């Protein structure tokens, strides 16, 4: 059964269509890769799905429930959590406090939230930074913090917006392993925006390609790499 | 990068600190038994009142990061509600203050529904605008507030529970204890906030609203909650001020000046910390009093640094007392330049440095 259905979603900013008529489905437990050149509308689609923008047209259906008009906090409580392309650490709070803010979405107890937070901090391997201020972390650890924080909200669907952006190969590899581990556990479905083609081909079960706001192609990674339209979109045509 | 020791960041009060706290509180309660000077009591009352106002603002401004520069509106609401009920309906202040708190909640929710759509500097401007609307309304609703003439009471009805007389407000001592209890109450509330879900959510909103929103924090609820808590205690401060001074008018309980001073208490002391407003009050109350009463000019002259008959001496004697607002301004600039996290932040940094040096 589809956990998420995107049905004919369009988002207009004035006359400019950031997304137009995008449709696809995600089944439980899969990893969906979302790729496309800069300005293709990937982050806008994330914002439409998670309640930051209401879609101009179309529907977002999560577990059979229409999400249009819900605010981001309600979306999070229903089990859809997103990270940010430009990381947003709560700079003057410690790493563990950051993750606790996520966990407090499921509990009112500070003690329980702290335990939940420490569990996720171990998952992303940031234990040694638990009591550091988030604002002082280097980019690689900030990205991990983002992931730990959304994991602490106990999501069913995780939307990761360029979690590997700006990382060195070793750090990227850690994140890839993290994403694959999450999949292995089988509880969380993931949608991943990524520019690193090698990485996205490795982790995705299916890939949706956006270009100028429209869905250009959808399929398994091996079909996407050989799709002439995709190649044209990325490399330009003669 | 700064590491925070878990024992000092989380409920880390050691036995020594708790003992120290108990001794200080006991000393404060015993103070009027040993000191009879009304002036000393008056200064202590101003200090408690300042702590109450600063800590109230700290909850919305310091913890939640919503820099309201319109807190005079809540202060004035409390003061006016208490005074109007007392003079027109003969409702005693300790009942009137509850109605004042309720009125402040209403004002806060109106302010919240208008201003929380805005962020950053726009929120600040809107909060100033709303407070000015309240002030101008009070100035012109002469039937209710007596406008610029103000409201004066001569007698505060004695405080009785049943037949038992608690106090007749004949001296400054009862005011001292009321102010002390209020100040301790707001410190306790701040502590509770910091060590509960509220504190985490408030600070998350301060650090990044969009991130907070995406982590399941309903911004409408979690921005109005601290504003209401803050408004309630600021209103209490207003009610207390009204019966303590026994006279209010729009220029004393509703001016923009007052809103700014409330903000300064926290900024000077250290925003977003439990003790910041206490430290800020320790700095500002004596300073403002010294400037106002010309102690500094006198001291400069008496110590021989300035000749009383010289132009400078005459100038100082005549004008320094009026310059307390200017000095306030200079102080804020100095603090922002040298202690961007307030006195508390500066002290913590020094302590951390010392620790680092020893290690």
């Amino acid at each position: 059964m589809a956990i998420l259905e995107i049905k004919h979603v369009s988002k207009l900013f004035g006359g400019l269509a950031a997304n137009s008529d995008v449709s696809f489905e995600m089944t439980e437990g899969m990893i969906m890769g979302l790729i496309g050149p800069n300005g293709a509308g990937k982050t806008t689609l994330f914002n439409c799905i998670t309640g930051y923008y209401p879609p101009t047209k179309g529907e977002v259906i999560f577990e059979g429930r229409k999400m249009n008009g819900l605010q981001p906090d309600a979306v999070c409580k229903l089990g859809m959590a997103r990270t940010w392309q430009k990381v947003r650490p709560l700079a003057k709070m410690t790493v563990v406090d950051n993750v606790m803010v996520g966990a407090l979405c499921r509990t009112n107890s500070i003690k329980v939230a702290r335990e939940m937070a420490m569990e996720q901090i171990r998952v992303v391997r940031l234990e040694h930074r638990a009591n550091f201020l988030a604002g002082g972390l280097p980019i690689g650890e900030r990205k991990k913090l983002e992931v730990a924080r959304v994991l602490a909200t106990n999501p069913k669907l995780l939307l990761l917006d360029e979690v590997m952006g700006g990382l060195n190969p070793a750090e990227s590899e850690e994140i890839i392993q993290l994403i694959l581990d999450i999949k292995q556990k089988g509880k969380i479905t993931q949608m991943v925006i990524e520019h690193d083609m090698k990485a996205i081909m490795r982790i995705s079960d299916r890939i949706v390609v956006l270009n100028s706001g429209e869905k250009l192609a959808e399929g398994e990674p091996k079909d996407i790499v050989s799709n002439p339209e995709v190649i044209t979109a990325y490399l330009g045509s003669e | 990068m700064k590491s925070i020791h878990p024992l000092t960041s989380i409920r880390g009060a050691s036995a020594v600190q708790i003992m120290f706290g108990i001794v200080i509180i006991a000393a404060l309660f015993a103070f009027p038994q040993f000191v009879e000077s009304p002036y000393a009591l008056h200064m202590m009352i101003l200090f408690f009142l300042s702590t109450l106002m600063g800590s109230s603002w700290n909850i919305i401004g310091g913890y939640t990061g919503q820099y309201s520069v319109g807190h005079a509106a809540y202060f004035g609401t409390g003061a006016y509600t208490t005074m109007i009920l007392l003079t027109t309906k003969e409702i005693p202040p300790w009942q009137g203050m509850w109605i004042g708190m309720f009125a402040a909640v209403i004002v806060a929710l109106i302010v919240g529904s208008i201003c929380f759509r805005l962020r950053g500097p726009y929120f600040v401007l809107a909060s100033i605008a709303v407070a000015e609307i309240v002030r101008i309304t009070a100035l012109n609703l002469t039937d209710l507030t007596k406008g610029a003439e103000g409201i004066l009471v001569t007698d505060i009805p004695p405080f009785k529970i049943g037949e038992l007389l608690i106090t007749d407000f004949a001296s400054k001592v009862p005011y001292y204890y009321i102010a002390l209890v209020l100040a301790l109450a707001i410190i306790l509330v701040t502590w509770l906030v910091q060590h509960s879900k509220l504190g985490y959510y408030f600070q998350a909103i301060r650090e990044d609203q969009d991130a907070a929103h995406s982590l399941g924090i309903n911004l409408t609820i979690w921005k109005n909650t601290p504003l209401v808590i803050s408004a309630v205690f600021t209103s209490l401060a207003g009610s207390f001020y009204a019966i303590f001074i026994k006279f209010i008018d729009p220029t004393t309980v509703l001016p923009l000046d007052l809103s700014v001073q409330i903000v300064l208490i926290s900024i000077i002391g250290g925003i977003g910390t439990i003790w910041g407003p206490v430290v800020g009050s320790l700095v500002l109350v004596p300073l403002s009093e010294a400037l106002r009463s010309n102690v500094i000019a006198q001291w400069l002259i008496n110590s021989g640094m300035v000749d009383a008959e010289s132009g400078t001496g005459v100038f100082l004697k005549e004008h320094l007392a009026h310059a307390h607002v200017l000095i306030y301004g200079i102080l804020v600039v100095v603090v922002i330049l040298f202690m961007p996290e307030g006195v508390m932040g500066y002290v913590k940094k020094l302590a951390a440095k010392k620790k680092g040096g020893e290690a």
Side-chain angles (χ1 to χ4, degrees):
Chain A
M1 182 206 146
I3 185 168
L4 183 75
E5 296 167 66
I6 312 284
K7 286 186 173 173
H8 309 289
V9 166
S10 299
K11 178 67 195 173
L12 301 173
F13 292 110
L16 185 78
N19 290 136
S20 53
D21 200 26
V22 177
S23 300
F24 60 88
E25 282 186 4
M26 287 175 69
T27 51
E28 221 164 301
M30 74 179 298
I31 296 178
M32 174 71 90
L34 189 58
I35 64 171
N38 287 328
K42 304 180 295 288
T43 298
T44 302
L45 187 62
F46 261 35
N47 285 337
C48 285
I49 295 172
T50 51
Y52 277 86
Y53 305 142
T56 313
K57 265 188 232 149
E59 288 178 350
V60 175
I61 295 168
F62 177 61
E63 295 191 307
R65 183 184 168 139
K66 204 174 149 188
M67 302 296 276
N68 298 41
L70 288 183
Q71 288 285 309
D73 57 287
V75 170
C76 173
K77 288 211 176 88
L78 286 172
M80 242 201 290
R82 61 93 55 91
T83 66
W84 299 84
Q85 180 178 5
K86 181 179 170 291
V87 287
R88 292 173 173 273
L90 308 172
K92 285 187 183 167
M93 295 169 78
T94 62
V95 166
V96 64
D97 286 353
N98 264 262
V99 183
M100 280 172 72
V101 170
L104 283 166
C105 149
R106 299 289 172 218
T107 172
N108 287 324
S109 155
I110 294 295
K111 210 175 145 230
V112 174
R114 187 173 301 277
E115 282 161 14
M116 289 166 72
M118 282 314 297
E119 192 185 323
Q120 300 308 335
I121 287 173
R122 278 191 285 274
V123 167
V124 302
R125 299 194 188 87
L126 271 181
E127 302 97 311
H128 59 298
R129 297 289 194 218
N131 291 314
F132 281 62
L133 290 181
L137 298 181
I139 182 69
E141 293 179 347
R142 286 183 187 211
K143 295 268 182 186
K144 287 183 183 175
L145 171 60
E146 286 272 308
V147 177
R149 204 167 62 181
V150 286
L151 284 175
T153 67
N154 196 13
K156 294 169 195 156
L157 175 63
L158 197 55
L159 299 104
L160 303 172
D161 196 349
E162 288 198 35
V163 274
M164 287 168 241
L167 301 190
N168 67 35
E171 290 169 330
S172 291
E173 185 57 34
E174 274 190 78
I175 298 277
I176 289 172
Q177 281 310 324
L178 184 61
I179 292 171
L180 292 174
D181 285 350
I182 293 169
K183 186 192 172 187
Q184 196 75 46
K185 287 178 195 157
K187 284 181 191 155
I188 301 175
T189 313
Q190 296 175 86
M191 191 183 323
V192 183
I193 294 180
E194 197 43 68
H195 275 299
D196 181 341
M197 282 304 145
K198 256 191 191 155
I200 201 86
M201 293 302 159
R202 233 175 96 194
I203 59 177
S204 305
D205 297 306
R206 282 181 81 76
I207 288 177
V208 166
V209 186
L210 290 182
N211 187 32
S212 310
E214 289 171 22
K215 186 169 97 173
L216 190 67
E218 180 185 348
E220 289 177 24
K222 62 176 170 22
D223 301 329
I224 294 295
V225 281
S226 55
N227 184 319
E229 279 184 317
V230 175
I231 294 167
T232 309
Y234 268 90
L235 301 176
S237 56
E238 281 183 295
Chain B
M1 226 185 294
K2 189 175 142 202
S3 111
I4 290 182
H5 195 272
L7 280 182
T8 52
S9 63
I10 312 298
R11 296 201 199 204
S14 65
V16 178
Q17 282 169 315
I18 290 168
M19 284 302 292
F20 187 65
I22 290 172
V23 168
I24 294 229
I25 291 171
L28 287 173
F29 271 96
F31 185 78
Q33 310 302 322
F34 300 103
V35 180
E36 280 173 6
S37 149
Y39 183 71
L41 288 178
H42 187 88
M43 289 304 297
M44 292 300 283
I45 291 167
L46 289 185
F47 165 65
F48 297 145
L49 184 64
S50 168
T51 300
L52 174 60
M53 295 193 295
S55 300
S56 303
W57 182 87
N58 195 28
I59 288 176
I60 183 71
Y63 282 92
T64 322
Q66 308 299 309
Y67 283 25
S68 157
V69 189
H71 261 49
Y74 312 117
F75 189 86
T77 302
Y80 266 103
T81 309
T82 307
M83 286 294 251
I84 291 169
L85 290 173
L86 178 61
T87 51
T88 62
K89 307 261 185 252
E90 288 173 14
I91 295 174
W94 48 95
Q95 289 166 14
M97 74 179 194
W98 294 99
I99 303 168
M101 283 153 75
F102 182 72
V105 170
I106 307 244
V107 175
L109 291 176
I110 295 170
V111 169
S113 64
I114 300 168
C115 300
F116 281 146
R117 293 160 197 275
L118 307 167
R119 292 184 182 189
Y122 303 99
F123 172 80
V124 175
L125 289 177
S127 72
I128 294 174
V130 173
E132 283 297 280
I133 291 169
V134 173
R135 184 181 65 85
I136 291 162
T137 308
L139 200 56
N140 290 294
L141 266 182
T142 41
D143 291 344
L144 194 62
T145 64
K146 297 197 191 161
E149 193 189 314
I151 303 177
L152 177 76
V153 292
T154 44
D155 294 311
I156 305 293
F159 185 11
K160 283 182 186 168
I161 296 178
E163 285 304 300
L164 180 70
L165 178 74
I166 306 291
T167 174
D168 54 6
F169 296 103
S171 72
K172 285 199 191 285
V173 175
Y175 293 107
Y176 176 94
Y177 283 115
I178 295 170
L180 172 58
V181 168
L182 289 176
L184 291 176
I186 190 68
I187 291 170
L188 178 67
V189 166
T190 310
W191 191 90
L192 289 173
V193 162
Q194 186 168 320
H195 294 95
S196 69
K197 182 172 182 169
L198 280 77
Y200 284 86
Y201 272 22
F202 295 172
Q203 293 180 67
I205 290 172
R206 177 188 70 200
E207 294 301 317
D208 192 323
Q209 284 192 37
D210 288 322
H213 207 180
S214 76
L215 294 170
I217 298 178
N218 182 323
L219 294 180
T220 310
I221 293 174
W222 290 100
K223 280 158 107 178
N224 278 295
T225 305
L227 182 65
V228 164
I229 297 174
S230 184
V232 160
F233 281 95
T234 309
S235 156
L236 264 178
S239 297
F240 175 81
Y241 175 88
I243 62 157
F244 179 52
I245 304 292
K246 299 192 180 69
F247 172 75
I248 59 168
D249 71 357
T251 57
T252 57
V253 297
L254 282 168
L256 180 57
D257 254 26
L258 176 64
S259 294
V260 173
Q261 283 184 25
I262 291 175
V263 177
L264 289 188
I265 299 165
S266 282
I267 290 189
I268 301 260
I271 66 171
T273 60
I274 295 177
W275 300 107
V278 181
V279 174
S281 302
L282 273 176
V283 174
L284 286 180
V285 171
L287 182 83
S288 131
E289 193 60 22
L291 292 166
R292 218 188 300 259
S293 59
N294 237 352
V295 173
I296 292 182
Q298 275 306 325
W299 178 76
L300 285 173
I301 290 165
N302 292 346
S303 67
M305 268 190 265
V306 178
D307 182 6
E309 303 306 317
S310 72
T312 321
V314 172
F315 178 83
L316 283 179
K317 264 197 286 185
E318 279 186 359
H319 296 293
L320 199 58
H322 302 295
H324 67 274
V325 177
L326 178 72
I327 308 273
Y328 255 75
I330 293 171
L331 197 68
V332 173
V333 173
V334 169
V335 166
I336 288 168
L337 281 179
F338 296 103
M339 310 181 207
E341 287 175 39
V343 177
M344 283 295 287
Y346 186 71
V347 169
K348 266 187 199 162
K349 209 177 270 176
L350 281 187
K353 237 183 214 168
K354 205 178 159 202
K355 224 178 178 181
E358 281 168 3

